[in-house]
Amino acid sequence: MFVALEGIDGSGKTTVSSRLREKLESDGIKVFLTHEPTFSVDSIAGKLVSQRDAESALKLFFMFTEDRYRHQAEISEKLDQGYLVLCDRYIYSSFAYQGSLLEGIFGTPERVVTWMSGVSEIIKIRPDLNVYLDISADTAIKRIWNRRNITGFEDLQYLDRVRSYYTGVLRKHLVIMNGEDSIERIVDAIYRIIRQ
Ligand code: ADP
Ligand code: TYD
């Protein structure tokens, strides 16, 4: 089984995925925990991430998609070896983070996602379950303010736009959880879905 965890920065993906891993492993299930991007965003991508314009978003979309193209081979190998794969971010991170900046080119979120879906046809390994941890941009900023360079209002606005992609055009692909609930309740709810 392949499970992806989605959400804006600070939504709890890292915390939840490591707790889930422990819980599943204690049932004797082999878990492979992985993360996208597989590269560090500190270098070239870090600069592009902070640009917030369509050209940078296009470059990033191709970078993240190329990274995923390579990563899917590793995921596929682990699935073949009988692992349950838990991936912190996958395809819908690109659709939400880069898509929300490409709307000016395409006009509507639906048209952006149609184009991104076409490019993403090279991604053959798809999650059986995409869980989205929903938190407000306000909560995100409170949780991550000390993490890296937050530029204030702009980031709040951007995270809110990213969230609106997850809760809008992408919602039909996602199992949506309230990420402001307690960590224990979130982990239990996802655990129950996986076990079913
Ligand atoms: P992400 O990987 O999605 O960026 P993290 O798991 O690193 O998020 O969580 C960001 C911060 O928020 C951490 O300090 C974590 O302890 C805290 N946190 C995560 N989930 C919750 C929750 N449900 N309630 C309260 N705090 C949380
Ligand atoms: P990550 O290291 O997962 O940050 P966090 O733990 O805060 O979620 O991701 C780094 C950044 O990369 C994050 O701000 C989201 C962004 N990102 C995209 O914009 N598009 C993508 O396709 C992916 C995988 C990540």
Side-chain angles (χ1 to χ4, degrees):
M1 187 177 193
F2 177 18
V3 180
L5 276 174
E6 293 286 351
I8 61 174
D9 301 72
S11 55
K13 299 179 307 309
T14 309
T15 313
V16 167
S17 53
S18 86
R19 301 268 182 103
L20 258 180
R21 187 212 340 222
E22 282 165 23
K23 226 169 142 63
L24 291 163
E25 282 181 345
S26 71
D27 289 348
I29 297 170
K30 293 196 297 182
V31 177
F32 176 63
L33 185 54
T34 185
H35 178 264
E36 285 197 3
T38 67
F39 56 85
S40 163
V41 287
D42 296 346
S43 52
I44 302 174
K47 288 198 191 89
L48 291 172
V49 166
S50 59
Q51 296 291 314
R52 311 265 197 272
D53 59 54
E55 282 172 29
S56 306
L58 273 176
K59 283 187 192 138
L60 281 170
F61 179 62
F62 288 121
M63 279 174 78
F64 287 125
T65 303
E66 185 274 331
D67 183 50
R68 188 165 303 125
Y69 180 76
R70 193 202 49 72
H71 192 203
Q72 69 177 342
E74 191 185 353
I75 292 171
S76 172
E77 203 178 300
K78 292 293 179 185
L79 290 170
D80 288 346
Q81 290 167 4
Y83 283 87
L84 184 149
V85 176
L86 265 182
C87 190
D88 180 339
R89 297 195 180 284
Y90 203 61
I91 205 157
Y92 296 121
S93 282
S94 296
F95 288 16
Y97 278 81
Q98 279 65 60
S100 56
L101 297 171
L102 296 175
E103 214 173 293
I105 301 177
F106 294 94
T108 65
E110 287 73 19
R111 291 177 67 181
V112 177
V113 168
T114 299
W115 179 78
M116 291 184 138
S117 301
V119 177
S120 297
E121 278 175 23
I122 58 170
I123 309 301
K124 303 288 183 198
I125 306 299
R126 299 295 178 109
D128 301 293
L129 177 67
N130 288 282
V131 177
Y132 165 68
L133 304 178
D134 186 47
I135 62 168
S136 69
D138 266 338
T139 301
I141 297 292
K142 281 186 196 124
R143 288 188 190 169
I144 64 174
W145 69 272
N146 58 351
R147 194 184 277 181
R148 51 176 100 91
N149 300 330
I150 299 293
T151 54
F153 193 54
E154 249 180 46
D155 273 82
L156 185 79
Q157 272 190 329
Y158 178 51
L159 289 177
D160 202 39
R161 285 182 67 187
V162 174
R163 182 191 190 201
S164 75
Y165 263 63
Y166 279 125
T167 58
V169 66
L170 301 176
R171 73 174 298 131
K172 60 178 180 280
H173 304 289
L174 309 168
V175 172
I176 300 183
M177 301 261 160
N178 178 7
E180 310 215 12
D181 208 345
S182 75
I183 293 168
E184 199 175 33
R185 282 167 60 101
I186 295 167
V187 171
D188 275 350
I190 304 173
Y191 172 81
R192 267 186 272 117
I193 297 173
I194 292 174
R195 291 301 274 162
Q196 269 172 21

